Amino acid sequence: MRAATLRGLYAITDSKLLSDGRLLPYAEAALKGGARLLQYRDKSSDDRRRLREAEALRELCARHGAQLIINDDAELAARLGVGLHLGQDDGSLAVARALLGRQAIIGATCHARLDLAEQAVREGASYIAFGRFFDSHTKPGAPAATPEMLEQARQRFSLPITVIGGVTLDNAPDLIARGASLIAVVHALFAADSSSEVERRARAFSELFAHN
């Protein structure tokens, strides 16, 4: 999957939300529903479990034609030959690019700042991520981004743009219309009572892109 073709639902797992055995079935449900990227987000120090879960997620992504992205662990991403997402405090994007190679998908958190996006582009990012756009369970204290800033970013950058932070089925269409290439979702996707509901939600998010 080339960076230029990145478009659609970006499902982000949450270790706190999916800590009771739901990670793999819920992740597969999101992929069945059309998620194009799946980010493994686990800040714990249990390296063995993280490797085991990431390997399983990589196989699921391969089965469904999607791409696995590892949050904040360039070494794990390199070991598995998958993508990487870096926050502003997660290390050098340029170093990660050198480690993972030219073809790897590497995303960068840019909060609500176009200057951070410019830096990420220079250092070799595959996509740039802005947010939070709305009240967010996962990033409650993050600086607020605006739809107007998204439009400015779309005019300035040719890379795919990811939006995150309180994105729902109700507010996502406007963000897509204003230039979002990828809709990153955590709670609105995975805070569900069943894997079938996760799949239904994922399909609904994915279908939004068919109309934009």
Side-chain angles (χ1 to χ4, degrees):
M1 187 185 301
R2 293 182 298 113
T5 66
L6 294 179
R7 181 172 169 80
L9 173 62
Y10 188 168
I12 300 182
T13 68
D14 185 296
S15 59
K16 295 178 181 178
L17 190 62
L18 303 175
S19 60
D20 54 358
R22 292 182 296 168
L23 173 63
L24 297 183
Y26 274 36
E28 183 163 28
L31 294 167
K32 286 181 178 178
R36 305 302 300 134
L37 297 183
L38 178 72
Q39 184 182 129
Y40 178 52
R41 186 175 186 273
D42 188 319
K43 299 288 189 179
S44 75
S45 58
D46 188 340
D47 292 339
R48 281 188 175 183
R49 179 179 57 77
R50 294 177 72 250
L51 174 61
R52 184 173 66 251
E53 290 180 345
E55 286 177 331
L57 291 173
R58 179 183 61 178
E59 296 307 312
L60 288 178
C61 286
R63 191 183 308 165
H64 293 280
Q67 175 69 48
L68 178 64
I69 307 294
I70 302 294
N71 179 274
D72 180 25
D73 192 335
E75 291 184 3
L76 180 58
R79 181 170 181 175
L80 296 181
V82 299
L84 175 70
H85 184 88
L86 292 176
Q88 285 299 312
D89 299 320
D90 293 341
S92 166
L93 197 156
V95 170
R97 173 59 71 196
L99 176 65
L100 298 180
R102 295 177 59 188
Q103 300 303 315
I105 295 174
I106 303 179
T109 293
C110 303
H111 298 301
R113 291 173 51 184
L114 297 178
D115 62 313
L116 293 179
E118 290 176 349
Q119 179 180 344
V121 171
R122 288 196 303 269
E123 294 183 357
S126 306
Y127 68 83
I128 47 180
F130 295 103
R132 61 178 172 89
F133 279 84
F134 308 99
D135 290 338
S136 169
H137 292 276
T138 308
K139 296 181 179 293
T146 65
E148 292 72 26
M149 186 225 67
L150 174 59
E151 290 181 331
Q152 294 172 16
R154 180 73 288 161
Q155 293 172 2
R156 186 177 301 189
F157 305 111
S158 60
L159 288 183
I161 295 174
T162 297
V163 295
I164 189 171
V167 179
T168 67
L169 285 167
D170 290 331
N171 58 41
D174 181 59
L175 297 176
I176 296 171
R178 291 175 184 260
S181 311
L182 292 156
I183 296 291
V185 184
V186 184
H187 271 73
L189 181 60
F190 289 120
D193 293 330
S194 66
S195 57
S196 61
E197 175 61 14
V198 173
E199 182 178 347
R200 187 198 69 77
R201 295 180 184 186
R203 185 163 287 111
F205 274 109
S206 298
E207 289 174 353
L208 295 177
F209 288 87
H211 307 296
N212 284 273

